[in-house]
Amino acid sequence: MNAPICPKCGDPIDRVVDVPYGWWEWNAEKGTYVLTTAATRVDVSPWVHTACMGELRHFHPQNPVVPEGASA
């Protein structure tokens, strides 16, 4: 069975991180780390797809995964 598809980038969600408060990314132009967040609103999504760092608002890794076309 395949992993669910990310609604932001369309790739399989094969790795997620729990980053409700963000992460630090190196910015070579600024020569420093910059705080980054995947949230697009105040109520932060706890799960983020590592491929695109898009928030996964309705995703939880412990939810059952069902094949496309099947019902849960």
Side-chain angles (χ1 to χ4, degrees):
M1 178 176 357
N2 295 328
I5 300 300
C6 176
K8 180 177 179 184
C9 70
D11 289 340
I13 303 170
D14 54 5
R15 182 180 298 160
V16 297
V17 289
D18 184 357
V19 290
Y21 300 106
W23 64 94
W24 293 88
E25 263 184 43
W26 179 252
N27 182 308
E29 228 175 73
K30 294 181 178 182
T32 186
Y33 285 94
V34 176
L35 180 61
T36 308
T37 160
T40 58
R41 55 194 112 189
V42 175
D43 59 327
V44 178
S45 171
W47 303 104
V48 173
H49 184 204
T50 59
C52 66
M53 297 311 278
E55 62 180 325
L56 298 169
R57 195 145 287 277
H58 302 291
F59 175 86
H60 193 285
Q62 292 179 326
N63 288 349
V65 176
V66 288
E68 284 186 44
S71 57

